[in-house]
Amino acid sequence: MDVDLAIVGSGFGGSILAMVARRLGLRVALLERGRHPRFAIGESSSPLAGILLEQLADRYDLPRLKPLATFGAWQRAYPDVGCGLKRGFTYFKHDAGRRFVAAADRSNQLLVAASPNDELSDTHWLRADVDAFLMREAVALGAEYADDVELAAVEWSAAGTPTVTGHRRGATLQVRARGVVDASGPRGFLSRALAIEARSFDGYPGTQALFSHFTDVERCDEMADYAGAGARGEYPPYPVDDAALHHVFDGGWMWVLRFGNGVTSAGVAVVDALAEDLRVADGEPAWHRLLERFPTVRAQFADARATRRFDWMPRLGYRAASAAGPRWALLPSAAAFVDPLFSTGFPLTLLGIERLASVLDSGAFFDESASLEAYGATTLAEADHTARFVAGCYAGFPRFDTFVQYSMFYFAAASYAEMARRVAPARAAAGFLRAGDPEFALALRALSPAVSAGDARPLADGVRRAVEPVNMAGLCEPAKRNWYGADAADAIAGASKLGVAPAKVAAELAALGF
């Protein structure tokens, strides 16, 4: 098989890159170790991911990709492709051995809306459905697809071009290409074939994960323990379960993501000490040991049944020493993985696709004299920056108010990038979580609870000052008591931070149906 670009891995990242490459006129081989549909972790989108999907679809003439950007468009275009409603980010703080009771001042919860309504909402992706759909779309555009592939090696010709070799269903497979991209995830094919060193994130705790899919998981908004604020006539900015719902506790957190077909994805990410205490390698018994520690979470899962085996990941964090070289590159999802907290995987991967698409379009990807150093450096710098932020969040879990204040770095940077991409693209050039903004990155590092265990009030003041230049979502306001709705007035009032007139932001929001 002779192609221009060999892509290893047909998950959402590999398949979208294959679609883009085909629109650029490249011959593409999409190589898959498994067979669709298959289970995959990484299931929660974000507003920034939605905008990146829209812009990739528009830039590369991929109209069938665009409906995946919002819940309403998705439901109209592809009602049979499984997804769930994600109106925002919900966090509840739990203490071992105690029922959760909603505090009157909301100090043990955080709600941050990501959209004003269901139509514009983000989504949870049932990856078995979505990945299979995107693979078929890539094939429809002309990508050559092969599954059940066991790759063994990559060899380089005298001219510097790669040949990927392996087996498929007992037969030898050889793919000669002008370049290769690994989209197969952490510790993937190129990392092994090129013996790329794996490195740890500096100052990052060792973490493990245990997860599965379930049916009959009760909704929090139907449980009395969570009803405290609503009983006083106060209504949250969105239904708390129609979100990426996080149960936070000392040493880790649990995610609960609902799909429209009645299935719920749930799992835990915990530091090594807690993982050893729970003996998470045991799988389902460890899951029940965790539930026993938190009575309200146990009640939520009282009638739940796992629909598949439990998966244990003995090491969540991963970072490759290099992410690119002459004629080869790792997608961000293959170069590094931090944690599912804050749904960072989708936008990081899509940013990588956007950058690689530009290099492919210029032809530089296939130029032996050209360097992909900038792509590789940016990919790893953003991973390191994200890891520093997540490490700070883990350190803040025991004091939930500390976590809440520190989390504003993410929400301020994300909301600013979302609006900048629409009305002032040059202002979005600082990269994911403003990794390329020296002042922002320095403050995120200096104020991290992993570095300093100071009082929450000085932290709150420091975070407020640090995010003020990009705070367009009305964040860091004590009067809101940890409930942040999606308010167009906040974005319009912050138009000057983007260097545009308020009317421009208002018009963009109106065009979106905000």
Side-chain angles (χ1 to χ4, degrees), residues 206-209 249 251-253 268-272 274-275 278 280 290 316 394:
T207 54
Q208 304 179 36
F249 44 85
W253 64 284
V268 294
V270 294
V271 298
D272 284 345
L274 181 53
L278 293 168
V280 294
L290 177 77
L316 268 178
Y394 268 83

Side-chain angles (χ1 to χ4, degrees), residues 12-24:
F12 85 89
S15 292
I16 291 175
L17 181 62
M19 295 164 68
V20 170
R22 285 298 301 143
R23 285 303 197 205
L24 292 174

Side-chain angles (χ1 to χ4, degrees), residues 11 125 185 200 290 350 388 394 401 419 427 481-482 508:
W125 292 16
S200 301
L290 177 77
L350 291 166
R388 279 192 290 273
Y394 268 83
D401 53 348
M419 186 53 64
R427 300 291 182 109
R481 293 183 294 142
N482 293 352
E508 181 65 28

Side-chain angles (χ1 to χ4, degrees), residues 43-44 82-86 122-126 243-244 257-259:
E43 301 158 311
S44 195
C83 79
L85 185 63
K86 182 183 177 182
D122 301 321
T123 51
H124 304 307
W125 292 16
L126 185 60
L257 312 175
R258 295 179 179 274
F259 302 112

Side-chain angles (χ1 to χ4, degrees), residues 409-494:
F409 275 109
Y410 169 82
F411 293 113
S415 56
Y416 184 86
E418 293 150 19
M419 186 53 64
R421 279 188 162 263
R422 295 196 182 280
V423 301
R427 300 291 182 109
F432 185 73
L433 198 53
R434 302 197 65 76
D437 177 342
E439 290 187 13
F440 189 94
L442 180 61
L444 182 146
R445 183 196 295 258
L447 292 170
S448 171
V451 174
S452 173
D455 293 337
R457 178 49 51 196
L459 173 63
D461 293 340
V463 172
R464 184 181 299 106
R465 290 192 297 270
V467 306
E468 175 55 29
V470 296
N471 183 2
M472 297 188 63
L475 302 166
C476 303
E477 294 186 12
K480 293 185 176 180
R481 293 183 294 142
N482 293 352
W483 282 6
Y484 294 97
D487 191 340
D490 289 324
I492 294 168

Side-chain angles (χ1 to χ4, degrees), residues 1 46 80 91 113 141 144 158 161 183 195 204 221 233 238 267 271 284 288 295 324 341 357 365 384 391 432 471 492:
M1 186 187 301
S46 70
D80 296 329
Y91 303 84
L141 289 175
E144 296 188 54
T161 58
Y204 192 80
D221 54 20
Y238 55 85
V271 298
E284 186 168 4
H288 292 290
L341 193 65
F365 192 96
D384 290 338
F432 185 73
N471 183 2
I492 294 168

